[in-house]
Amino acid sequence: MPPPRTRPGIRILDTVLRNLLAYGVLTCALLAMTGGWDPQRHDARPVPAVYDADISEIVGTWRCVDGTEVVFRADGSADVTLLDGQDRDYAAGWRLSGPGSWRLTAEQPAGRTLGQHLRLRLPAPTATAARAGTGPPAGAPQRYAWTFELRRDERGALELYFGFLLGNGPAGGSYVLEKDA
């Protein structure tokens, strides 16, 4: 028995729709693999890279929530007080304090944005604490390094930040340090 005849217009429409579906799926997959599309992100606006920060903008006291304070000195030394871990380390709940060192990187990709970054190292924490609501600090490291992203606020003032994640899921946010006036 011969196959049923279809009209040529329906066959063309069917082919076009199948191709559009295939190209759409392929495009979404490529965007997801390259980081161009992330359905879990709540803030889809890209953060402009900072290329013009200098050491004088970094030197000083920077603060965040619950007593976090980092003092950056011009000689590259730093004092860290109650700074949380970044990325997945944030979920552990430990906070570190102690003397460290820092440097402002050149224009290079590192972390999540292009441009300059600030690297802070704590070779041997002198104190460990727990973030409120997390219980005793478990698994606090014997040394730690942070990579801060740089961005400018609406007034043009520099902000230092890093991302953090809560648990194993995609939930998280940004941990932002602001400089004392």
Side-chain angles (χ1 to χ4, degrees):
M1 184 176 206
R5 298 183 124 229
T6 58
R7 295 190 326 219
I10 291 177
R11 180 181 283 169
I12 292 171
L13 180 63
D14 183 54
T15 302
V16 168
L17 291 175
R18 284 178 193 240
N19 286 340
L20 285 174
L21 178 63
Y23 290 130
V25 169
L26 179 63
T27 301
C28 289
L30 288 172
L31 285 171
M33 287 188 304
T34 61
W37 176 65
D38 182 358
Q40 303 297 329
R41 279 193 68 182
H42 299 291
D43 179 17
R45 296 177 318 176
V47 176
V50 172
Y51 295 97
D52 61 348
D54 62 29
I55 292 175
S56 67
E57 288 183 281
I58 304 295
V59 172
T61 302
W62 295 73
R63 299 181 196 278
C64 192
V65 297
D66 299 328
T68 297
E69 180 180 287
V70 182
V71 178
F72 296 104
R73 292 188 196 80
D75 66 359
S77 65
D79 284 323
V80 176
T81 305
L82 301 173
L83 186 56
D84 293 271
Q86 72 181 88
D87 295 326
R88 294 204 180 281
D89 292 335
Y90 182 84
W94 48 257
R95 308 180 85 201
L96 301 177
S97 298
S101 62
W102 68 277
R103 68 183 175 90
L104 183 62
T105 67
E107 300 172 11
Q108 63 184 0
R112 292 177 178 82
T113 61
L114 297 174
Q116 296 171 292
H117 295 82
L118 186 140
R119 305 220 188 205
L120 173 63
R121 296 191 192 304
L122 197 61
T126 57
T128 303
R131 192 173 54 255
T134 61
Q142 297 301 308
R143 63 179 175 266
Y144 198 75
W146 294 264
T147 298
F148 287 93
E149 313 281 339
L150 279 63
R151 68 182 180 200
R152 296 206 180 270
D153 65 13
E154 61 279 350
R155 299 167 302 167
L158 197 62
E159 292 179 333
L160 306 178
Y161 72 99
F162 60 78
F164 67 84
L165 300 171
L166 297 171
N168 292 328
S174 292
Y175 194 91
V176 181
L177 276 73
E178 296 177 334
K179 189 175 182 182
D180 282 354

